[in-house]
Each structure stands twice: as C-alpha cells, then as structure tokens.
Amino acid sequence: MRMRKLSITATVLAGVAGLTGGLTATAAHAAEPLPESGGTYRISSHAGGALQWDGPRNGAQVRVKEGNETLTEQTWTVTDDGTGNWSVRIPRTNYAVDRDLGNNSVAAWNDIGRANQRWWLQNLSGSRAWLLHSSDRTGGDTCLTRLPDQGTAARPCNAGDAAQQWNLDKTTAQPPTPTVPVTLQMVNAGGYDPNALRSWFDKSRGLLQDQYGKIKQFMTGGAYEVKPGINVVFDAGHPSFSSPGVAAVFDPNPKPQYNNEKSIVLRPDYVMRNQGDTGSLIHELTHQVQDAANGGWLNEGQADYYRKYVFNVKEKPGLDRIRGTDYDRGYDSTAFLLNYIAHKHPAGESIIQKINNEVRRQGFGADGDRVLTAITGKGGRQWWTEMWNDIQASPTRWTNPAFRD
Ligand SMILES: [Zn+2]
C-alpha cells in the first residue's frame, strides 16, 4: 500500500517536472494525499459551489452549482490512467470532463483516452486545494476554472486564483445500483409444463440481473443508454425456431404478445433438454445491450466473445472449431478472431467496446468490415490472415485454452 502510494506520487512528480519546471517542490511537499484512483468524490470550488454534471451524454454541461451532498449529480469518479493523468467521469459511465481544444470550454464527452480528457493534479502547499491541469498542453498550461456565471472552462493556470482551486472530498454513501426488472411471459410452452419452464427461469433471474450491469459496462462503457428492463418469453412458435438449431433469439421488434418490448425469446424444448445452459441467455442479453440496428456477423462474434471469453471461459472455442471457417461466420469464428485482435491491438480488450459502440453508431448502415477498419485499422480478412500466420508460427501460443487476458 505504502509502496504503491509512493510510486503514484513519483509518477505525478515526473509529470509535473516534465510539464512545468518549478512546480515540483510544491507537489513534493503535498499535504493532501492523492485521491483514491477509481474513487468517487465531490469536487468543490474555493470560489463557491460544487462541480455538477447535467447528464450522461455527449456535450452535457459541466457547471458549478450550490453544494448539495445528497445530489448524485455532484459526484465524480476520478481515475489515474497509470501515468499520473486522471479522468474525471460521471459515476458508472464513460463520460469524462473534456476540454475543447478549440475554445477551451469544458463539457462531458465519451472518454476515448485523449489528453484533453485527462487532468493532472497539483496540490497547493499548505492547503487542501488542488489545481486540475489539463494534460493536453495545447495553448499552454491550462487549469479547470470556475467562471463567474457558474460555467466551467480551461484557463491559463494561476495557483492564486480561488476559481481554479478545488477540494476533493470522497463520498461515503454510493448511490445504490437499481435492480433491473425482469419479466417473464409464457406465450407458447411447446407442449412442455409451463411450471417447469418457470421454475428453470426463476433460477436464472438473478444471473440476468447481475450480468446486465456487467455486460453494459463491458460492451458500452456507458456510451449510450440501454433498455432498463429485461423481458423473457417462452414461445415455441417464434419464426426463428423453424430452424432447428436455434435455441434462443433476441427479438428487437416489439410485438403486442411480447408486452410491446424488445425481448429475449427462448425455445422451450431447448431449455428443457439443456437445463444447465445459461450461456445462450447471456448471448441474447448481450444482443439486448448491443441494441444494434445492424451488425450481422460482427455482433454475433461479440455476443459470443462476452459469453465465452468473459462470462464462461470454459466455453472458449478451440482451434478445431475455427479451422476451415472464416472471419465473418460470427459466433465461435468471429469471437476467436476478436480475442486475437484484443491481444494484438494496443487498446487491448477495450477494443471490443469500441467496436460495439461503433456498430451502434453506424446504425442500419453498419458493416462489419467497415467497422473493424475504422476502429482497428484493418478489415476482417487482413486480421484473419495475420492470425493464421501467427498460429502457424507459434501454435501453442494461440491454442492455449487458458489464454484470454
Ligand atoms: Zn446471436
């Protein structure tokens, strides 16, 4: 613990020395410990009021309002990205305090890790106050500033200006995570006992509630809102089940018989014959989170990636299930390729989230290869070829069943 703290301080010092000579002495004698990375804080101004977000969406205002300790909107999650540069985010979302490099205004934007979305912290000597320096040096050294009209902006740093001095106070009570409502409808039990199906479902309800938040965080990082409820339907008559291999489906078209909700539809005979299988529920729940107008094979690959590389790694496909297939077959093949990309791309596993958010952004026009190229710089064919070249060069590395992270 102690060592860790020291090393974080050293990182900040290096940042300070590299950016503005002369500040090191101040930081070295910092009276106030750095915030806990990942902790949630109130950020109040020495000129009055507390930093408040408007909402979890791009371009949302960040203003200073009268301090109110019961307001969730006045809490922020602050995280050191490992280099002494901090994100200041709306809790449980990916929206970060972002400095517009054009006009130095400040607002909440989806965090893509750019320097103008990072701040380094300078504790003022003999004070609890921090200056939040923009990590992007464009236009000189600028700091988060409270404006007279209670807006915020980045302005040239001036340690003596109360409008640039902020206290960070850790919040004690975290707002509770609301439990997502889960409803069940028995439309067509396919000749099976509805009570047996219901009882199977009741055992999976908690899993769906627990996984929903995790899938949302993994797949979206809060980039968009998803449906605040889960509707599960047993319907042996769903058109997708005319194909015998389909166990479950996410139906994105609200239907009167499904409560007019986008729904996870389950095939009763599959559930009764495979009562231990929760993976297909997770796959369909991932589709609900994806909330994509189009996405095809890439969405199928991502849903299987979450299911088999995150939720239950025992389901990871081996090479024998991939050989002879192609990158755009979805499911095992695309999930296997996504795992390879996550290992090769500098963004690591967060590349999955970036891909998902881009598919959703492109809407009906989404095309898997175009999305992959936009986000990773290479299309599916090129990744697939490189993957097989790597497998041939070093088969054990890519066939290790324990390999994910
Ligand atoms: Zn699917």
Side-chain angles (χ1 to χ4, degrees):
M1 190 63 188
R2 188 182 174 85
M3 288 300 290
R4 187 179 156 77
K5 229 173 198 169
L6 284 172
S7 77
I8 289 172
T9 308
T11 309
V12 173
L13 285 175
V16 171
L19 291 164
T20 48
L23 289 175
T24 45
T26 316
H29 299 291
E32 185 75 0
L34 277 164
E36 176 200 318
S37 181
T40 301
Y41 286 79
R42 294 180 197 286
I43 303 177
S44 47
S45 169
H46 280 227
L51 204 62
Q52 179 168 325
W53 43 268
D54 246 15
R57 59 181 181 276
N58 278 331
Q61 287 190 326
V62 174
R63 300 180 63 78
V64 175
K65 300 264 178 77
E66 192 75 18
N68 178 346
E69 294 203 352
T70 63
L71 267 192
T72 305
E73 290 84 350
Q74 292 185 351
T75 61
W76 298 88
T77 300
V78 299
T79 308
D80 181 349
D81 70 4
T83 65
N85 296 294
W86 296 69
S87 63
V88 179
R89 291 187 197 164
I90 298 175
R92 291 198 302 266
T93 77
N94 198 48
Y95 291 97
V97 176
D98 172 298
R99 170 189 160 213
D100 184 314
L101 295 178
N103 62 14
N104 282 314
S105 63
V106 165
W109 284 89
N110 188 34
D111 190 342
I112 52 172
R114 288 206 179 127
N116 66 314
Q117 300 179 319
R118 294 289 179 272
W119 306 84
W120 60 269
L121 306 176
Q122 178 197 1
N123 181 218
L124 295 177
S125 180
S127 166
R128 290 202 59 223
W130 297 90
L131 298 189
L132 277 70
H133 293 256
S134 173
S135 298
D136 190 310
R137 294 275 294 159
T138 306
D141 186 22
T142 60
C143 284
L144 183 67
T145 307
R146 176 200 196 277
L147 300 178
D149 69 355
Q150 301 193 309
T152 54
R155 292 285 179 261
C157 294
N158 171 6
D161 182 356
Q164 295 188 353
Q165 299 172 358
W166 305 90
N167 280 10
L168 271 63
D169 293 294
K170 191 145 198 270
T171 61
T172 41
Q174 288 284 350
T177 307
T179 308
V180 61
V182 181
T183 46
L184 176 69
Q185 292 185 273
M186 193 65 61
V187 170
N188 179 343
Y192 292 88
D193 175 6
N195 288 326
L197 291 166
R198 274 196 199 94
S199 126
W200 174 86
F201 173 76
D202 283 341
K203 286 182 225 143
S204 308
R205 183 186 296 270
L207 174 77
L208 288 172
Q209 287 173 318
D210 174 58
Q211 283 291 312
Y212 200 45
K214 290 174 179 161
I215 299 172
K216 280 196 288 188
Q217 186 55 42
F218 185 88
M219 296 298 290
T220 79
Y224 57 90
E225 295 296 316
V226 302
K227 183 172 168 285
I230 302 170
N231 192 46
V232 177
V233 183
F234 281 106
D235 184 4
H238 190 280
S240 293
F241 298 152
S242 60
S243 169
V246 178
V249 65
F250 178 68
D251 192 329
N253 305 306
K255 296 177 166 64
Q257 69 270 33
Y258 297 170
N259 269 349
N260 287 310
E261 282 196 60
K262 301 177 178 186
S263 299
I264 295 171
V265 187
L266 304 178
R267 180 187 198 117
D269 68 325
Y270 179 85
V271 167
M272 293 315 290
R273 285 187 284 105
N274 301 275
Q275 300 204 19
D277 175 24
T278 48
S280 48
L281 268 181
I282 298 302
H283 176 103
E284 304 310 331
L285 190 60
T286 307
H287 283 323
Q288 175 167 327
V289 171
Q290 288 172 320
D291 192 31
N294 192 15
W297 56 268
L298 190 53
N299 270 7
E300 293 304 343
Q302 293 200 84
D304 255 22
Y305 182 88
Y306 187 86
R307 169 183 175 171
K308 298 172 181 176
Y309 288 83
V310 181
F311 171 66
N312 181 4
V313 295
K314 289 187 184 137
E315 290 192 327
K316 279 191 300 184
L319 259 190
D320 50 334
R321 301 237 296 271
I322 307 304
R323 209 181 291 282
T325 69
D326 211 341
Y327 71 93
D328 58 358
R329 300 283 177 85
Y331 307 99
D332 282 343
S333 305
T334 306
F336 194 96
L337 180 67
L338 288 170
N339 181 47
Y340 176 79
I341 294 173
H343 280 84
K344 288 291 180 171
H345 193 278
E349 198 173 42
S350 73
I351 200 72
I352 309 289
Q353 186 183 102
K354 295 180 201 302
I355 290 169
N356 175 62
N357 286 338
E358 181 63 12
V359 169
R360 183 156 188 292
R361 196 188 68 76
Q362 291 194 7
F364 280 103
D367 168 86
D369 272 302
R370 209 166 56 232
V371 168
L372 274 187
T373 305
I375 300 300
T376 70
K378 298 173 198 170
R381 172 65 61 214
Q382 189 179 347
W383 278 114
W384 189 253
T385 304
E386 287 182 18
M387 181 182 82
W388 283 104
N389 288 343
D390 266 357
I391 290 170
Q392 279 192 314
S394 175
T396 50
R397 180 171 163 83
W398 299 107
T399 52
N400 178 351
F403 196 66
R404 166 166 105 91
D405 47 24

Short mmCIF file of all heavy atoms in Angstrom, two decimals, residues 180-222:
data_model
loop_
_atom_site.label_atom_id
_atom_site.label_comp_id
_atom_site.label_asym_id
_atom_site.label_seq_id
_atom_site.Cartn_x
_atom_site.Cartn_y
_atom_site.Cartn_z
N VAL A 180 -32.52 -4.14 -12.09
CA VAL A 180 -33.28 -4.10 -13.33
C VAL A 180 -34.48 -5.06 -13.23
O VAL A 180 -34.34 -6.20 -12.78
CB VAL A 180 -32.37 -4.43 -14.52
CG1 VAL A 180 -31.78 -5.81 -14.41
CG2 VAL A 180 -33.11 -4.27 -15.84
N PRO A 181 -35.67 -4.60 -13.58
CA PRO A 181 -36.83 -5.51 -13.53
C PRO A 181 -36.75 -6.58 -14.63
O PRO A 181 -36.37 -6.29 -15.76
CB PRO A 181 -38.03 -4.58 -13.75
CG PRO A 181 -37.49 -3.33 -14.34
CD PRO A 181 -36.02 -3.25 -14.00
N VAL A 182 -37.08 -7.80 -14.26
CA VAL A 182 -37.09 -8.90 -15.22
C VAL A 182 -38.50 -9.49 -15.26
O VAL A 182 -39.05 -9.85 -14.22
CB VAL A 182 -36.09 -10.01 -14.81
CG1 VAL A 182 -36.10 -11.14 -15.82
CG2 VAL A 182 -34.69 -9.44 -14.67
N THR A 183 -39.08 -9.52 -16.43
CA THR A 183 -40.42 -10.08 -16.57
C THR A 183 -40.36 -11.35 -17.40
O THR A 183 -39.46 -11.53 -18.24
CB THR A 183 -41.37 -9.07 -17.24
OG1 THR A 183 -40.70 -8.51 -18.37
CG2 THR A 183 -41.71 -7.94 -16.28
N LEU A 184 -41.34 -12.23 -17.18
CA LEU A 184 -41.40 -13.50 -17.91
C LEU A 184 -42.78 -13.64 -18.53
O LEU A 184 -43.80 -13.39 -17.88
CB LEU A 184 -41.15 -14.68 -16.96
CG LEU A 184 -41.30 -16.06 -17.63
CD1 LEU A 184 -40.19 -16.31 -18.63
CD2 LEU A 184 -41.33 -17.16 -16.58
N GLN A 185 -42.82 -14.08 -19.77
CA GLN A 185 -44.09 -14.34 -20.43
C GLN A 185 -44.09 -15.76 -21.00
O GLN A 185 -43.10 -16.19 -21.59
CB GLN A 185 -44.31 -13.35 -21.58
CG GLN A 185 -44.53 -11.94 -21.09
CD GLN A 185 -44.86 -11.06 -22.27
OE1 GLN A 185 -43.96 -10.53 -22.92
NE2 GLN A 185 -46.13 -10.93 -22.57
N MET A 186 -45.19 -16.44 -20.79
CA MET A 186 -45.34 -17.79 -21.32
C MET A 186 -46.31 -17.70 -22.50
O MET A 186 -47.51 -17.70 -22.33
CB MET A 186 -45.91 -18.69 -20.20
CG MET A 186 -45.84 -20.16 -20.48
SD MET A 186 -44.16 -20.82 -20.60
CE MET A 186 -43.53 -20.45 -18.96
N VAL A 187 -45.79 -17.56 -23.70
CA VAL A 187 -46.65 -17.40 -24.88
C VAL A 187 -46.99 -18.75 -25.49
O VAL A 187 -48.14 -19.03 -25.81
CB VAL A 187 -45.97 -16.48 -25.92
CG1 VAL A 187 -46.73 -16.48 -27.24
CG2 VAL A 187 -45.88 -15.05 -25.36
N ASN A 188 -45.99 -19.62 -25.61
CA ASN A 188 -46.23 -20.95 -26.19
C ASN A 188 -45.19 -21.90 -25.60
O ASN A 188 -44.01 -21.82 -25.95
CB ASN A 188 -46.12 -20.88 -27.72
CG ASN A 188 -46.33 -22.23 -28.37
OD1 ASN A 188 -46.27 -23.28 -27.72
ND2 ASN A 188 -46.58 -22.22 -29.68
N ALA A 189 -45.65 -22.77 -24.67
CA ALA A 189 -44.72 -23.65 -23.96
C ALA A 189 -44.29 -24.85 -24.80
O ALA A 189 -43.52 -25.70 -24.35
CB ALA A 189 -45.33 -24.11 -22.64
N GLY A 190 -44.81 -24.93 -26.01
CA GLY A 190 -44.38 -26.00 -26.91
C GLY A 190 -44.70 -27.39 -26.39
O GLY A 190 -43.98 -28.36 -26.69
N GLY A 191 -45.76 -27.50 -25.58
CA GLY A 191 -46.14 -28.82 -25.06
C GLY A 191 -45.45 -29.18 -23.75
O GLY A 191 -45.75 -30.21 -23.15
N TYR A 192 -44.54 -28.37 -23.28
CA TYR A 192 -43.87 -28.64 -22.01
C TYR A 192 -44.66 -28.04 -20.85
O TYR A 192 -45.54 -27.19 -21.07
CB TYR A 192 -42.44 -28.10 -22.02
CG TYR A 192 -41.55 -28.86 -22.96
CD1 TYR A 192 -41.45 -28.49 -24.30
CD2 TYR A 192 -40.84 -29.97 -22.53
CE1 TYR A 192 -40.66 -29.20 -25.18
CE2 TYR A 192 -40.05 -30.69 -23.40
CZ TYR A 192 -39.96 -30.31 -24.73
OH TYR A 192 -39.19 -31.03 -25.59
N ASP A 193 -44.35 -28.48 -19.65
CA ASP A 193 -45.04 -27.99 -18.46
C ASP A 193 -44.60 -26.54 -18.18
O ASP A 193 -43.42 -26.31 -17.89
CB ASP A 193 -44.68 -28.90 -17.27
CG ASP A 193 -45.26 -28.37 -15.97
OD1 ASP A 193 -46.03 -27.38 -16.01
OD2 ASP A 193 -44.93 -28.96 -14.92
N PRO A 194 -45.51 -25.59 -18.28
CA PRO A 194 -45.13 -24.19 -18.04
C PRO A 194 -44.49 -23.98 -16.68
O PRO A 194 -43.59 -23.14 -16.54
CB PRO A 194 -46.45 -23.43 -18.15
CG PRO A 194 -47.35 -24.31 -18.94
CD PRO A 194 -46.94 -25.72 -18.62
N ASN A 195 -44.93 -24.76 -15.69
CA ASN A 195 -44.35 -24.59 -14.36
C ASN A 195 -42.89 -25.01 -14.32
O ASN A 195 -42.07 -24.41 -13.61
CB ASN A 195 -45.15 -25.35 -13.31
CG ASN A 195 -46.48 -24.68 -13.05
OD1 ASN A 195 -46.58 -23.45 -13.11
ND2 ASN A 195 -47.52 -25.47 -12.80
N ALA A 196 -42.55 -26.03 -15.08
CA ALA A 196 -41.15 -26.47 -15.13
C ALA A 196 -40.30 -25.40 -15.80
O ALA A 196 -39.18 -25.11 -15.38
CB ALA A 196 -41.04 -27.79 -15.89
N LEU A 197 -40.85 -24.79 -16.85
CA LEU A 197 -40.11 -23.72 -17.53
C LEU A 197 -39.95 -22.52 -16.61
O LEU A 197 -38.87 -21.92 -16.53
CB LEU A 197 -40.86 -23.31 -18.81
CG LEU A 197 -40.85 -24.36 -19.92
CD1 LEU A 197 -41.88 -24.02 -21.00
CD2 LEU A 197 -39.46 -24.48 -20.55
N ARG A 198 -41.03 -22.18 -15.90
CA ARG A 198 -40.97 -21.04 -14.97
C ARG A 198 -39.94 -21.29 -13.87
O ARG A 198 -39.18 -20.40 -13.49
CB ARG A 198 -42.33 -20.79 -14.33
CG ARG A 198 -43.22 -19.93 -15.17
CD ARG A 198 -44.41 -19.37 -14.39
NE ARG A 198 -45.44 -18.95 -15.33
CZ ARG A 198 -46.45 -19.73 -15.71
NH1 ARG A 198 -46.62 -20.93 -15.20
NH2 ARG A 198 -47.31 -19.28 -16.61
N SER A 199 -39.93 -22.51 -13.39
CA SER A 199 -39.01 -22.79 -12.29
C SER A 199 -37.55 -22.73 -12.77
O SER A 199 -36.67 -22.25 -12.06
CB SER A 199 -39.40 -24.12 -11.63
OG SER A 199 -38.33 -24.99 -11.60
N TRP A 200 -37.31 -23.18 -13.99
CA TRP A 200 -35.96 -23.04 -14.56
C TRP A 200 -35.61 -21.55 -14.67
O TRP A 200 -34.52 -21.12 -14.29
CB TRP A 200 -35.91 -23.66 -15.97
CG TRP A 200 -34.58 -23.41 -16.65
CD1 TRP A 200 -33.44 -24.15 -16.53
CD2 TRP A 200 -34.25 -22.31 -17.52
NE1 TRP A 200 -32.42 -23.58 -17.27
CE2 TRP A 200 -32.90 -22.47 -17.89
CE3 TRP A 200 -34.96 -21.23 -18.03
CZ2 TRP A 200 -32.24 -21.58 -18.75
CZ3 TRP A 200 -34.31 -20.34 -18.88
CH2 TRP A 200 -32.96 -20.53 -19.23
N PHE A 201 -36.58 -20.78 -15.13
CA PHE A 201 -36.31 -19.36 -15.34
C PHE A 201 -36.04 -18.64 -14.01
O PHE A 201 -35.16 -17.78 -13.93
CB PHE A 201 -37.49 -18.69 -16.05
CG PHE A 201 -37.33 -17.21 -16.13
CD1 PHE A 201 -36.46 -16.65 -17.05
CD2 PHE A 201 -38.01 -16.38 -15.26
CE1 PHE A 201 -36.27 -15.29 -17.09
CE2 PHE A 201 -37.82 -15.01 -15.30
CZ PHE A 201 -36.96 -14.47 -16.22
N ASP A 202 -36.81 -19.01 -12.98
CA ASP A 202 -36.64 -18.33 -11.69
C ASP A 202 -35.20 -18.46 -11.18
O ASP A 202 -34.68 -17.57 -10.52
CB ASP A 202 -37.62 -18.88 -10.65
CG ASP A 202 -39.02 -18.32 -10.88
OD1 ASP A 202 -39.13 -17.27 -11.56
OD2 ASP A 202 -40.00 -18.92 -10.41
N LYS A 203 -34.57 -19.59 -11.50
CA LYS A 203 -33.18 -19.78 -11.06
C LYS A 203 -32.22 -18.91 -11.85
O LYS A 203 -31.09 -18.68 -11.44
CB LYS A 203 -32.78 -21.26 -11.23
CG LYS A 203 -33.42 -22.16 -10.19
CD LYS A 203 -32.95 -23.61 -10.37
CE LYS A 203 -34.15 -24.54 -10.27
NZ LYS A 203 -34.07 -25.68 -11.17
N SER A 204 -32.64 -18.43 -13.02
CA SER A 204 -31.75 -17.63 -13.87
C SER A 204 -31.98 -16.14 -13.73
O SER A 204 -31.19 -15.33 -14.24
CB SER A 204 -31.94 -18.00 -15.34
OG SER A 204 -31.84 -19.40 -15.51
N ARG A 205 -33.04 -15.76 -13.03
CA ARG A 205 -33.40 -14.34 -12.92
C ARG A 205 -32.27 -13.51 -12.30
O ARG A 205 -31.88 -12.47 -12.83
CB ARG A 205 -34.66 -14.22 -12.07
CG ARG A 205 -35.19 -12.81 -11.92
CD ARG A 205 -36.35 -12.82 -10.92
NE ARG A 205 -37.49 -13.61 -11.40
CZ ARG A 205 -38.49 -13.11 -12.13
NH1 ARG A 205 -38.50 -11.84 -12.44
NH2 ARG A 205 -39.48 -13.89 -12.52
N GLY A 206 -31.72 -13.99 -11.19
CA GLY A 206 -30.65 -13.26 -10.51
C GLY A 206 -29.42 -13.13 -11.40
O GLY A 206 -28.74 -12.10 -11.40
N LEU A 207 -29.13 -14.18 -12.16
CA LEU A 207 -27.99 -14.15 -13.08
C LEU A 207 -28.17 -13.03 -14.12
O LEU A 207 -27.24 -12.27 -14.39
CB LEU A 207 -27.84 -15.51 -13.78
CG LEU A 207 -26.77 -15.55 -14.87
CD1 LEU A 207 -25.39 -15.63 -14.24
CD2 LEU A 207 -27.00 -16.71 -15.83
N LEU A 208 -29.37 -12.94 -14.67
CA LEU A 208 -29.63 -11.90 -15.67
C LEU A 208 -29.45 -10.52 -15.05
O LEU A 208 -28.84 -9.64 -15.66
CB LEU A 208 -31.07 -12.03 -16.21
CG LEU A 208 -31.34 -13.21 -17.13
CD1 LEU A 208 -32.83 -13.32 -17.43
CD2 LEU A 208 -30.57 -13.07 -18.43
N GLN A 209 -29.97 -10.34 -13.84
CA GLN A 209 -29.86 -9.02 -13.20
C GLN A 209 -28.41 -8.68 -12.92
O GLN A 209 -27.97 -7.56 -13.13
CB GLN A 209 -30.68 -9.00 -11.90
CG GLN A 209 -32.17 -8.96 -12.20
CD GLN A 209 -33.04 -9.10 -10.97
OE1 GLN A 209 -32.74 -9.91 -10.10
NE2 GLN A 209 -34.10 -8.32 -10.90
N ASP A 210 -27.65 -9.67 -12.45
CA ASP A 210 -26.25 -9.43 -12.14
C ASP A 210 -25.44 -9.14 -13.40
O ASP A 210 -24.61 -8.24 -13.45
CB ASP A 210 -25.68 -10.66 -11.41
CG ASP A 210 -24.19 -10.52 -11.19
OD1 ASP A 210 -23.78 -9.53 -10.55
OD2 ASP A 210 -23.42 -11.36 -11.68
N GLN A 211 -25.71 -9.93 -14.44
CA GLN A 211 -24.90 -9.80 -15.66
C GLN A 211 -25.25 -8.56 -16.47
O GLN A 211 -24.41 -8.05 -17.22
CB GLN A 211 -25.05 -11.06 -16.53
CG GLN A 211 -24.25 -12.24 -16.02
CD GLN A 211 -22.75 -12.00 -16.18
OE1 GLN A 211 -22.28 -11.58 -17.22
NE2 GLN A 211 -21.99 -12.25 -15.12
N TYR A 212 -26.48 -8.08 -16.34
CA TYR A 212 -26.90 -6.96 -17.19
C TYR A 212 -25.97 -5.75 -17.00
O TYR A 212 -25.47 -5.17 -17.97
CB TYR A 212 -28.34 -6.58 -16.89
CG TYR A 212 -29.01 -5.79 -18.00
CD1 TYR A 212 -28.88 -6.17 -19.33
CD2 TYR A 212 -29.78 -4.66 -17.73
CE1 TYR A 212 -29.50 -5.47 -20.35
CE2 TYR A 212 -30.41 -3.95 -18.74
CZ TYR A 212 -30.26 -4.35 -20.04
OH TYR A 212 -30.88 -3.65 -21.05
N GLY A 213 -25.72 -5.39 -15.75
CA GLY A 213 -24.83 -4.26 -15.48
C GLY A 213 -23.41 -4.54 -15.97
O GLY A 213 -22.74 -3.65 -16.51
N LYS A 214 -22.96 -5.77 -15.79
CA LYS A 214 -21.59 -6.10 -16.20
C LYS A 214 -21.45 -6.06 -17.73
O LYS A 214 -20.45 -5.58 -18.26
CB LYS A 214 -21.21 -7.48 -15.66
CG LYS A 214 -21.03 -7.47 -14.15
CD LYS A 214 -20.80 -8.84 -13.57
CE LYS A 214 -20.60 -8.70 -12.05
NZ LYS A 214 -20.80 -9.95 -11.34
N ILE A 215 -22.45 -6.59 -18.41
CA ILE A 215 -22.38 -6.56 -19.88
C ILE A 215 -22.44 -5.12 -20.38
O ILE A 215 -21.71 -4.73 -21.28
CB ILE A 215 -23.51 -7.41 -20.50
CG1 ILE A 215 -23.41 -8.87 -20.07
CG2 ILE A 215 -23.49 -7.31 -22.02
CD1 ILE A 215 -24.59 -9.74 -20.49
N LYS A 216 -23.32 -4.32 -19.75
CA LYS A 216 -23.42 -2.92 -20.15
C LYS A 216 -22.07 -2.22 -20.02
O LYS A 216 -21.62 -1.52 -20.90
CB LYS A 216 -24.46 -2.18 -19.29
CG LYS A 216 -25.88 -2.42 -19.72
CD LYS A 216 -26.82 -1.39 -19.12
CE LYS A 216 -27.03 -1.61 -17.65
NZ LYS A 216 -28.09 -0.76 -17.08
N GLN A 217 -21.43 -2.43 -18.87
CA GLN A 217 -20.15 -1.78 -18.64
C GLN A 217 -19.12 -2.26 -19.66
O GLN A 217 -18.38 -1.48 -20.26
CB GLN A 217 -19.67 -2.06 -17.21
CG GLN A 217 -18.40 -1.31 -16.83
CD GLN A 217 -18.51 0.19 -17.04
OE1 GLN A 217 -19.52 0.80 -16.73
NE2 GLN A 217 -17.47 0.80 -17.62
N PHE A 218 -19.09 -3.57 -19.87
CA PHE A 218 -18.08 -4.15 -20.77
C PHE A 218 -18.30 -3.70 -22.22
O PHE A 218 -17.37 -3.33 -22.91
CB PHE A 218 -18.13 -5.68 -20.69
CG PHE A 218 -17.05 -6.36 -21.48
CD1 PHE A 218 -15.81 -6.60 -20.91
CD2 PHE A 218 -17.27 -6.74 -22.80
CE1 PHE A 218 -14.80 -7.23 -21.64
CE2 PHE A 218 -16.27 -7.37 -23.54
CZ PHE A 218 -15.03 -7.61 -22.96
N MET A 219 -19.55 -3.75 -22.65
CA MET A 219 -19.83 -3.52 -24.07
C MET A 219 -19.98 -2.05 -24.43
O MET A 219 -19.70 -1.66 -25.56
CB MET A 219 -21.12 -4.26 -24.49
CG MET A 219 -21.04 -5.78 -24.40
SD MET A 219 -19.79 -6.50 -25.49
CE MET A 219 -20.53 -6.22 -27.11
N THR A 220 -20.48 -1.22 -23.52
CA THR A 220 -20.78 0.17 -23.88
C THR A 220 -19.93 1.16 -23.11
O THR A 220 -19.74 2.28 -23.58
CB THR A 220 -22.25 0.53 -23.62
OG1 THR A 220 -22.43 0.78 -22.22
CG2 THR A 220 -23.18 -0.58 -24.05
N GLY A 221 -19.48 0.82 -21.91
CA GLY A 221 -18.78 1.79 -21.07
C GLY A 221 -19.65 3.00 -20.78
O GLY A 221 -19.14 4.06 -20.42
N GLY A 222 -20.96 2.87 -20.96
CA GLY A 222 -21.87 3.99 -20.70
C GLY A 222 -22.04 4.93 -21.88
O GLY A 222 -22.61 6.01 -21.75
#
